[in-house]
Amino acid sequence: MKSEVSETPYAGARLPLHVAVIMDGNGRWAKKRMLNRVKGHEKGADAVRMMIRTCREIGIRHLTLYAFSTENWQRPKTEVKALMELLKRFLASEKQEMIDNHIRINVIGELDRLPEDLVVSIKKAMDETADKNAMQLNLALSYGGRSEIAMACAEIARKVKNGEADIHAITPEYFERHLYTADIPDPDLLIRTGGEYRISNFLLWQIAYSELFITSTLWPDFSRKEFMEILSDYNRRERRFGRVDD
Ligand code: IPE
Ligand code: IPE
Ligand code: MG
């Protein structure tokens, strides 16, 4: 693995605790090369591996990757099927390295909409890495921020109805304990590749105060070098959270 000083955050750098990524641009990467969109997703898997290794190496505690949205179910059946198969192959090929590197695998999203064989692989990967604590990889699969919020509301309404919760106790802190991300800190940094200036239903609640970084680089071309540049940009930003700087 490369270790040039210029590609490693300098000592004392303020690292984000949680980096979230909207990995966009696989289809365009393939189109530019007159390839099938699926080839773009396959190439994108290399960038995923690079991100996991880099984050583990530099000490990012949480990495959340948006791999498939609730809206992505509307894509052609063949693309959806290829993506599900790719995800399964990715888990199979990368799991051992993640175990060796003490990475916990977690999946957020509507697991019950995924193909059964993929769900089996996911549950196995989550079980086998449940005690790992150097880093947590959160894969957002069949994930949608609006569904997540609606699901949390339904769960709280159920509790109120059963007398397990008091309406006056519904604070933001209480509410977020009902999200998929209950045990995960909010993202400090949200990166979107592929150049679109939108959120596409990703972590709507959780990104309230995340620093946003949009790059036109297509996901399969996203490099360790560019990630390091984004981290140094993050380092220079002043996060005020609505206060005035002192
Ligand atoms: C992102 O790449 C991957 C998924 C949404 C699964 P796209 O497939 O959206 O690529 P573009 O945006 O068409 O280039
Ligand atoms: C966002 O990309 C979802 C993922 C990266 C998984 P999309 O390509 O689906 O987003 P839109 O359609 O451009 O908003
Ligand atoms: Mg896209």
Side-chain angles (χ1 to χ4, degrees):
M1 224 168 256
K2 289 188 216 151
S3 63
E4 291 103 22
V5 177
S6 62
E7 292 197 7
T8 311
Y10 54 87
R14 186 177 49 121
L15 270 183
L17 181 63
H18 182 176
V19 175
V21 188
I22 302 175
M23 309 183 290
D24 196 24
N26 295 350
R28 278 164 282 167
W29 184 93
K31 196 172 174 201
K32 263 172 58 182
R33 290 164 179 78
M34 316 253 273
L35 296 169
N36 186 286
R37 296 177 56 84
V38 173
K39 291 281 173 222
H41 298 313
E42 284 171 3
K43 184 76 178 149
D46 294 340
V48 172
R49 192 177 303 109
M50 175 284 291
M51 265 309 267
I52 297 171
R53 286 181 180 165
T54 305
C55 286
R56 172 65 179 89
E57 186 196 323
I58 66 179
I60 303 282
R61 301 290 299 197
H62 279 274
L63 171 65
T64 300
L65 301 175
Y66 202 10
F68 194 85
S69 72
T70 46
E71 288 72 25
N72 289 150
W73 288 114
Q74 297 164 67
R75 292 190 178 198
K77 269 203 179 76
T78 46
E79 184 175 346
V80 170
K81 188 162 178 274
L83 274 166
M84 296 299 148
E85 281 164 7
L86 177 62
L87 283 161
K88 198 177 159 210
R89 284 206 305 280
F90 187 83
L91 279 179
S93 63
E94 305 305 307
K95 191 170 66 182
Q96 193 54 50
E97 180 174 330
M98 292 199 249
I99 292 173
D100 296 343
N101 288 320
H102 310 281
I103 298 174
R104 180 176 185 177
I105 303 170
N106 180 42
V107 172
I108 59 172
E110 301 167 333
L111 266 184
D112 54 353
R113 286 181 76 181
L114 300 173
E116 218 173 292
D117 57 339
L118 177 58
V119 176
V120 171
S121 313
I122 289 171
K123 289 197 170 148
K124 215 161 159 258
M126 285 174 66
D127 278 351
E128 286 171 18
T129 60
D131 62 342
K132 305 294 179 230
N133 57 13
M135 177 176 126
Q136 182 161 319
L137 170 68
N138 305 297
L139 287 176
L141 289 185
S142 187
Y143 172 88
R146 287 182 171 177
S147 305
E148 181 186 32
I149 290 169
M151 175 199 73
C153 290
E155 176 60 12
I156 293 169
R158 192 194 56 77
K159 287 184 180 172
V160 171
K161 194 169 161 217
N162 294 346
E164 293 166 45
D166 175 3
I167 253 184
H168 303 289
I170 305 175
T171 58
E173 294 72 24
Y174 179 80
F175 183 82
E176 62 192 15
R177 290 209 293 274
H178 298 80
L179 297 172
Y180 295 127
T181 51
D183 300 316
I184 303 173
D186 288 341
D188 300 292
L189 174 62
L190 171 65
I191 300 170
R192 180 170 188 143
T193 61
E196 312 286 5
Y197 283 76
R198 55 179 173 254
I199 297 300
S200 303
N201 204 12
F202 191 41
L203 301 176
L204 297 179
W205 171 280
Q206 298 87 340
I207 60 170
Y209 267 103
S210 302
E211 294 296 323
L212 309 182
F213 199 102
I214 291 161
T215 168
S216 58
T217 303
L218 304 174
W219 177 251
D221 292 326
F222 192 66
S223 65
R224 174 188 166 98
K225 183 167 176 286
E226 184 168 11
F227 181 41
M228 291 303 163
E229 284 161 10
I230 293 172
L231 288 176
S232 20
D233 178 286
Y234 170 83
N235 229 292
R236 288 190 295 271
R237 295 194 192 182
E238 190 193 346
R239 301 183 74 190
R240 285 189 288 277
F241 300 98
R243 298 185 289 256
V244 288
D245 47 350
D246 33 47

